[in-house]
Every structure is written in C-alpha cells, then in structure tokens.
C-alpha cells in the first residue's frame, strides 16, 4: 500500500468509526448490531484513541458502567431500543437497570486498557482513568475463574457459543448437538434481514442458542448455578488465552500504578492458567484443541481457536509452531488467517466463523506472533488484512480464497483493526 492509499484507508476507517459512534459507545454496524457489544467496544477503543483519546476511554468506561454486581461484564448493553436485532432485551430478561444480555464475551478489556495507557499522550488523564478501571477489570477476572471454573481446573468454560464470540465455529458442533431444542419459544431472526443467510449461522444453531438462553433465564441468570446446570460447557483455548493475556497486562499495569494486590492477583491467575492451557496443546495437530468439559473429550477441530492462544505469553516453541501453521495457510490461500482450515471437515468459506477471515482475530494473532519474535509472519498477516480492505472495503469478514466481503458492511472493529495495522506499518 503506497502513502496515498494508506492515507485514504485511514480516512475511510475514521469515517466508519464516526458513523457508528453513538456518543459514549459505538455500535458494531448499524441495523445488524444496533447496541454496544463487549469485545467489539474494547478493541474499537484502540482505533478511537487515534481520533480522540478521551472518547476512547469513554468507550470502555461506558461498558464497565454496566458491570453486574457479581463482576460479570455482559456481552451486549442495550442502551436504546431497536427492533432490528434478535434476541432483544425482553428475551434476555436480565432485569438490569439498563438492559443487558446475560452472558459474557472474550476478556479483551485488560489488554485494550493497557495499550491505551501506554500510548496515551495525556498521561495524567490516562493514569486517572486507568486507576478507576483496574478494580472493575480485576473483579471481572475474578468472576471468570469463580463462575466459569467453579471446580478449580485452572481454565474457564464458555456456556454459550456467543460467549466465545465465534458463534458458529466448527469447534462447538458436537457439544451443541447435545443441547436440546424442544420447547423453545417461537422466534423470528432479524440477522438474516441484514446479512445473507448463507453467511450466517443455521436455524438449528439458532434453536440451540435460544434454548440455552431460555434455560439460563429460567435460572434467573444466577451465575453460581449456570455452569453446572449448562449442557454446554466448552473449554476454548482462544477464550482462555485472551483472559490470560488480559490478566498479564492488568498485572503489569497495576504494578506501574502502584496497585500491588491487583497486580499480584492477576499475575497468579495468569501463571496458573498458562500451565493449564498447555494441557490443550496437540503436538499432532500443531495447535491447541478445545475440550468438552461435560464429556471430558478433546475436540479435534482445526479452527482458528487453536492458533489464537499465541496472543497469550505461551512458550516460544508453541508460537513457532503456530507461525508455521499460518505459513502453511498462506501457501494455499489468497488471504489469511481463515477461521477454519480449508481442507478440514466443516469448512465453509463464506459462513461466519466456519472459514472466513476476520481482521480482529488477524490482529490478535499478529500481535502475539510479533511479541514472540515471529515478525515475518506477523507482517504477512498485516499485509493480507490491508489487501482485503483495499479490495473489498470494511466488511464484517471475508472469503479467504477470493477476498469477497461477507456479513455486515462498514464494520466498526474492522476499521479499528485497519488503523492498528496501518499504525504498525507507519511505525516500522
Ligand atoms: C449475533 O447476534 O450474531 C452475535 O454474534 C451474538 O452476540
């Protein structure tokens, strides 16, 4: 990308951020996702910081203003009514002052806040805002290990595919097939009004998503009960690795700000969880594999969930193995990194998390590879990401063979990740 194209891409990315800005929070894209989403917002804050640092902190503060009393940060905050999304606040029935969903999402906040803090030009403002956020993020991390690992194995389970953010990944197929779907309240999907149904999860998957939601709602969203009562408990390496990275980053930031107890608690969480994460490494597959906590079975699915752990401080030889996997993908595909291996069972190049490339997972993998010294591969991922937006605009996700744009358009976190990739390129 030459200088003119770079500045055009940057302007385009800023325009997408502005368009999806609702003042104190951003929506992922209008129509399809009209509320505030947890991990979208935290990663979007990185891009917002390039426009306005104050506004970037506000994005994360708005999300944390809706923390549950038990410490959970919900995956959606329904700030204002909108009838373009299912399931809306009435379906969740969480009885929060501002309605929210009742499940969580990947814990990227600790990572994002550290990055905002390090890059801040207004250091005094950053320190003050960071100090206020630290205990809240710490409480969320505690919540994860208490409520999603109640038997103390060192790794947390997701109880709903939406918690992983990779809704219809092949990783969940077998576990989701055990979720009953009879007796659910009839519903009308809205996502397929905005995106091609062939790019979205199937009806069978939605039925299971709704069954789980109604099951948890019947338990009054009591997180002390949900884990053991859920027929779906999956230990996702990516979800755990993101939490480990967040604990590591929170620990470092708390140390800098003199908050010793928060620092020590999060360092201890990260250390214990990293050791447990290593039990998910598969030498045969050269990637981490998920585990079904209900059956104890390893899930032999070749998805991006097995590569994303490079975002955490995993051992160097594991990071090297992951760099080799990504290189192998680059050898056979137009664009990397696909959300599922192209020659593996279940691969669908255009269906949401079953094959398409997402810039947000590209960003996390590239960041982890760079930290591990795998610079060439990190650069290759960044380049592929920028080629995608040059060719196909700021889509939700892309076909890994053709680069075709898929899902929703003018997507906020895609724009934020483009800003991150361009920032790294200019700094290089
Ligand atoms: C959706 O509705 O598609 C979301 O991914 C759930 O968070």
């Amino acid at each position: 990308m030459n200088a003119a194209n770079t500045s055009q891409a940057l302007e385009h990315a800023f325009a997408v951020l502005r368009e999806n800005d609702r003042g104190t929070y951003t929506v992922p894209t209008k129509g399809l996702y009209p509320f505030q989403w947890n991990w979208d917002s935290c990663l979007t804050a990185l891009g917002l910081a390039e426009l306005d640092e104050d506004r970037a902190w506000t994005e994360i503060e708005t999300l944390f203003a809706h923390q549950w009393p038990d410490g959970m940060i919900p995956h959606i905050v329904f700030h204002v009514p909108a009838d373009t999304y299912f399931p809306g606040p009435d379906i969740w029935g969480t009885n929060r002052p501002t309605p929210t969903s009742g499940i969580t999402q990947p814990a990227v906040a600790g990572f994002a806040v550290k990055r905002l803090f390090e890059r801040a030009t207004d250091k005094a403002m950053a320190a003050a805002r960071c100090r206020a956020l630290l205990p809240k993020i710490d409480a969320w991390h505690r919540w994860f290990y208490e409520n999603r690992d109640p038997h103390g194995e060192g790794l947390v389970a997701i109880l709903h595919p939406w918690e992983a953010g990779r809704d219809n990944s092949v990783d969940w197929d077998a576990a989701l097939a055990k979720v009953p779907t009879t007796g659910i309240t009839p519903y009308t999907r809205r996502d397929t009004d905005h995106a091609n149904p062939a790019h979205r999860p199937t009806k069978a998957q939605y039925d299971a998503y709704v069954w789980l939601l109604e099951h948890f709602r019947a338990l009054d969203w009591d997180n002390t009960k949900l884990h053991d009562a859920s027929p779906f408990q999956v230990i996702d390496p990516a979800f755990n690795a993101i939490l480990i990275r967040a604990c590591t980053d929170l620990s470092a930031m708390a140390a800098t700000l003199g908050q010793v107890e928060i620092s020590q608690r999060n360092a201890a969480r990260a250390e214990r969880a990293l050791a447990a994460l290593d039990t998910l490494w598969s030498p045969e597959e050269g990637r981490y594999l998920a585990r079904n906590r209900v059956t104890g079975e390893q899930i032999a699915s070749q998805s991006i969930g097995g590569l994303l752990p490079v975002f955490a401080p995993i051992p160097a030889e594991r990071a090297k193995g992951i760099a080799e996997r990504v290189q192998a993908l680059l050898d056979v595909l137009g664009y990397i990194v696909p959300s599922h291996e192209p020659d593996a069972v279940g691969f669908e190049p255009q269906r949401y998390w079953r094959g398409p490339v997402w810039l947000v997972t590209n960003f996390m993998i590239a960041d982890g590879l760079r930290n591990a010294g795998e610079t060439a591969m990190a650069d290759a991922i960044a380049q592929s990401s920028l080629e995608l937006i040059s060719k196909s605009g700021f889509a939700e996700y892309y076909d890994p063979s053709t680069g075709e744009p898929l899902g929703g358009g003018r997507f906020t976190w895609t724009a934020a990740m483009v800003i991150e990739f361009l920032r790294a390129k200019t700094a290089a």
Side-chain angles (χ1 to χ4, degrees), residues 33 37 75-76 85-87 105 162 165 167 191 200-201 206 352:
Y33 297 122
W37 260 258
H75 101 294
I76 308 174
Y85 180 78
F86 169 85
Q105 249 185 347
W162 287 340
D167 303 4
D191 58 312
R200 293 285 306 171
Y206 256 79
Y352 213 34

Side-chain angles (χ1 to χ4, degrees), residues 66 70 73 97 133 187 221 305 338 400:
H66 300 279
D70 67 2
I73 302 294
L133 280 167
Y187 64 92
W221 300 108

Side-chain angles (χ1 to χ4, degrees), residues 290-375:
R291 189 185 304 143
N292 184 335
R293 185 173 269 162
V294 175
T295 62
E297 282 162 356
Q298 190 179 59
I299 300 172
S301 162
Q302 292 161 316
S303 90
I304 201 165
L307 308 179
L308 267 165
V310 77
F311 189 55
I314 57 170
E317 72 268 21
R318 306 269 186 262
K320 187 165 183 296
I322 289 171
E324 283 162 8
R325 278 292 341 129
V326 178
Q327 178 62 57
L329 289 162
L330 188 57
D331 292 343
V332 296
L333 284 170
Y335 304 92
I336 50 174
V337 179
S339 43
H340 203 70
E341 294 274 333
D343 57 357
V345 178
F347 174 73
E348 291 180 74
Q350 304 213 327
R351 202 185 280 280
Y352 213 34
W353 285 99
R354 299 176 78 88
V357 173
W358 293 69
L359 259 55
V360 62
T361 42
N362 273 8
F363 167 73
M364 288 190 277
I365 293 174
D367 182 82
L369 288 173
R370 201 173 292 287
N371 288 341
E374 300 292 342
T375 317

Side-chain angles (χ1 to χ4, degrees), residues 117-267:
F117 179 66
E118 284 165 350
R119 288 182 183 168
T121 53
D122 187 340
K123 292 289 180 203
M125 174 177 79
R129 296 177 89 160
C130 216
R131 269 203 188 87
L133 280 167
L134 285 182
K136 298 179 184 181
I137 304 174
D138 177 47
W140 189 26
H141 292 177
R142 172 193 47 72
W143 175 88
F144 270 113
Y145 289 107
E146 279 178 10
N147 294 281
R148 295 298 199 253
D149 182 24
H151 308 295
E153 291 171 32
L155 294 170
V156 298
I158 54 158
L159 306 184
H160 194 297
W162 287 340
E163 290 202 308
R166 305 192 320 281
D167 303 4
N168 67 340
S169 167
V170 177
D171 298 358
W172 330 132
D173 283 2
L176 209 59
K178 300 282 184 227
V179 173
T181 52
T182 46
I184 54 173
T185 311
Y187 64 92
T188 305
R189 285 173 67 168
R190 303 305 310 273
D191 58 312
T192 45
D193 299 342
H194 308 283
N196 183 340
H199 302 172
R200 293 285 306 171
T202 62
K203 174 172 174 358
Q205 284 158 349
Y206 256 79
D207 284 354
Y209 300 158
V210 171
W211 189 93
L212 286 168
L213 186 164
E214 293 189 341
H215 181 58
F216 299 149
R217 191 182 60 202
L219 294 166
D220 293 325
W221 300 108
D222 178 349
N223 273 304
T224 64
K225 298 187 183 142
L226 300 195
H227 179 280
D228 288 0
S230 178
F232 182 92
Q233 302 167 13
V234 175
I235 300 170
D236 171 34
F239 192 80
N240 278 279
I242 291 169
L243 179 55
I244 292 168
R245 171 72 182 267
C247 288
T248 309
D249 285 359
L250 194 72
S251 170
M253 211 165 28
T256 308
L257 291 169
Q259 303 211 0
V260 180
E261 284 178 14
I262 292 183
S263 175
Q264 287 173 347
R265 270 200 297 276
N266 282 279

